[in-house]
Every structure is written in C-alpha cells, then in structure tokens.
Amino acid sequence: MASLDGFRVFVAVYRTGSVSGAARERHLTQPAVSAQLAALEARVGEPLFTRTPRGVVPTERGKLLYAQVADSVDRLALADQGLRRPGRSVLTPLRLGMTPEVLHGLALPRVARLDRALHVTFGPDRDVLAALGAGTLDAALVTTAPEGRHLSAQEVAPVPYALIGPAGWRADVPDTLADLAAWLNARSWVSYSVELPITRRFFTGVLGARFAARQALVAPDLRAVVRAVALGLGASVVPAYAAQEALDAAQVAELWPVHALIPAARWSVVVRTADEERADLLALVAALKR
DNA sequence: CAGCTCATCGACGGATTGTT
DNA sequence: AACAATCCGTCGATGAGCTG
C-alpha cells in the first residue's frame, strides 16, 4: 500500500506546483520529496506529473488522484492538528466567500445539511474571487463570471428579479405595462448601487423608457434595500430571494411580475480549476443545486 | 552566455524493526 | 542484547532549461 506520507507529499506538490515548493511546505528536502513522489508514481504505474524546468504539471492521472485524495489528506491534516490542539474540530472547515445577502437568502438553506464545517467570509464578488485566487478561500458564490483560466465557475441556480414597492402602493399600480414607467418615474426609488445596472436595463429594455425616479436611498446591502422599501422610501428591483420574506410577511408588495421580463442573474460556484474535481466541492455544488 | 531554478542521482547516515 | 536488514532522510554533484 502507498504510504500516507506519499499522498501528503503528492497533494503538496500538486498545490505548490513544484517538488521544491512541496519540500519547503512539508519541511523535507527536495530529494526526499522527489523520492516519495517517485515511489507513489511507481505504485500508480504511471506519471502523476509532467516535469518542466519551472516546476511540475499534473497529468490526467494526477488530476484524478488529487480529486480522490485531497479532501482526505486535508481531513487527516486537521485531525492531526486536533490531536495536538485538543478541542478543535476534526473536520476541515470549507472556506466560502459571498455577500451576506447570498448567504442569508440563497446559500444557507441549501448548505445547512452539508456534513461539513463552514467558514464564511463576506465580501463583494470582486473581493471573494481575489481571495479564492490567492488560496484563502475554497469556493466563492457569486453572480459575476470569473476572469482567467485558474478559476472555473459552475452555475447552480438562476436568480430571478422582483419589482417591489411599499405594501400601500399595490392598489395604485397601473393596469398596463405601458403606463408603468411613468407611474414609477413619478415615485421614489431605493437601490443597491448608484450605477443601477438592473434597474436601467429594466426601464430601457422592458418599459421602453428612461429611468427618472428620484433616488431616495442607495445602500449596498439588499436587506437594507428591502427594509427601506417596506418603510415606504420607494420601489426597487431586487433579486427575488432577497425580498421573499418581506413579501410573505406582506411588508412589501410585488408591483409587477417582472421575473419573466428581466433575464435572471447567473448564480455560480467558483473554485480554483485545480480543485474542480475535489469531492467536497462537488458535494457543495450538488447541495447548492437542490 | 552566465546565472539561476529545479529535478534527479548516488553515497552515506540514523532510526527502526526483525532475527538470533 | 547484539546484529543485520530496511527504510527514509540529508548532502553534494549534475544536468536541463529558462531568463536577462
């Protein structure tokens, strides 16, 4: 049987992209790591990495093996830490990045049943994608497509939008879509950002009119936006999940069913391409797709 | 082309394990 | 307890390939 140390060395080589890097990480010398790797490759019967002058590149067999063992090696590492520091969880926390709204409205109900400790870091899409690239997160839940080949996205759910307003406005909403733009422009608006990308797309693309409503509040927090709508500050277009609780509680009203009119956002799980086949991340994607 | 990084090889040593 | 075998590590040398 291949040694557990061999697998730990293999994972270290895979992640650092070099034998010497893995040696530093494992507190071994370069030849020692090279020997461990050679032993594992002999055991597997084929090369796990292609050697290059600037490091090593995993072969298809290497990628497959990594997907099979990486999670277990991480768990072993944490179990080992737990032995040295009693009281810590033996489960490696999965490190996720997203906005508070995504956690609250979308992710939490779906990941609650995952048999895995989770550590969530809040931040806008740009920041959590940067943290993912830097290796301080395992996955990011975003609606922005990542740039570069080292990150890969898997869409887990479309995010439809809802046009909401204060509950008292519902009775006055015009009957036809043609009258809706003028009606909304005569009122105030609450938004997540000053750029209003979704709102402007809704007005110009769906209503065929320029957005001209008075902006009563701009706050980069969807829960604050929905709360402001409930308090009567104005109408807004928000992701439906963010408004669902307030709609159910009749704190806000859906002014028009726009979910079929505004293309849904693409909500995706982004992981490092090297981790694409990791069993725990595949389980995360499966849980989020439910 | 020199300097650098990186992987690999052979020689050797220490620790552990098995045998007598 | 003593010895041999084995394992796994380090050290030093070497060769390949990239870069300025």
Side-chain angles (χ1 to χ4, degrees):
Chain A
M1 189 177 76
S3 76
L4 291 175
D5 272 339
F7 287 125
R8 294 169 94 168
V9 161
F10 165 72
V11 168
V13 172
Y14 196 101
R15 287 178 179 162
T16 61
S18 80
V19 172
S20 51
R24 282 190 294 275
E25 190 183 302
R26 300 288 308 137
H27 305 293
L28 298 171
T29 61
Q30 199 184 72
V33 170
S34 191
Q36 292 255 19
L37 195 54
L40 186 60
E41 287 179 322
R43 172 77 188 168
V44 171
E46 57 184 290
L48 298 170
F49 296 95
T50 303
R51 274 69 170 172
T52 76
R54 290 280 169 221
V56 297
V57 178
T59 60
E60 288 308 311
R61 187 68 184 87
K63 291 176 185 174
L64 189 64
L65 184 64
Y66 179 79
Q68 288 175 311
V69 305
D71 187 38
S72 300
V73 168
D74 284 341
R75 283 169 179 258
L76 272 175
L78 208 85
D80 182 46
Q81 277 182 22
L83 291 177
R84 282 178 281 162
R85 281 184 271 175
R88 301 195 85 198
S89 167
V90 297
L91 290 173
T92 314
L94 202 54
R95 302 163 303 171
L96 306 178
M98 67 194 85
T99 62
E101 297 85 9
V102 165
L103 176 70
H104 188 259
L106 274 176
L108 208 45
R110 303 176 192 225
V111 299
R113 276 171 292 175
L114 266 183
D115 181 24
R116 185 67 183 266
L118 303 173
H119 278 187
V120 175
T121 300
F122 288 142
D125 287 3
R126 185 188 59 247
D127 291 358
V128 296
L129 287 174
L132 179 64
T136 55
L137 293 176
D138 295 309
L141 277 57
V142 298
T143 53
T144 311
E147 290 175 10
R149 278 179 299 175
H150 66 297
L151 296 180
S152 70
Q154 179 146 186
E155 190 181 330
V156 291
V159 177
Y161 289 97
L163 171 61
I164 59 171
W169 289 15
R170 184 70 191 89
D172 302 328
V173 178
D175 295 334
T176 64
L177 200 58
D179 298 328
L180 187 60
W183 186 83
L184 287 171
N185 274 335
R187 283 160 177 76
S188 52
W189 199 259
V190 180
S191 62
Y192 185 85
S193 75
V194 288
E195 288 86 7
L196 299 164
I198 306 303
T199 299
R200 293 192 195 285
R201 204 189 313 158
F202 169 56
F203 268 75
T204 55
V206 177
L207 302 180
R210 201 171 60 83
F211 172 74
R214 182 180 68 84
Q215 290 196 58
L217 175 74
V218 176
D221 182 316
L222 283 176
R223 286 168 299 182
V225 168
V226 173
R227 181 88 178 113
V229 171
L231 290 170
L233 268 69
S236 189
V237 173
V238 297
Y241 68 80
Q244 199 54 57
E245 272 187 29
L247 284 167
D248 292 344
Q251 293 165 344
V252 301
E254 183 168 24
L255 301 180
W256 200 276
V258 296
H259 50 83
L261 304 175
I262 306 175
R266 308 256 167 244
W267 183 45
S268 303
V269 179
V270 182
V271 301
R272 285 180 292 280
T273 308
D275 290 341
E276 235 172 356
E277 303 300 324
R278 246 172 69 178
D280 56 340
L281 294 176
L282 291 174
L284 172 71
V285 171
L288 290 170
K289 278 183 171 173
R290 276 203 287 270

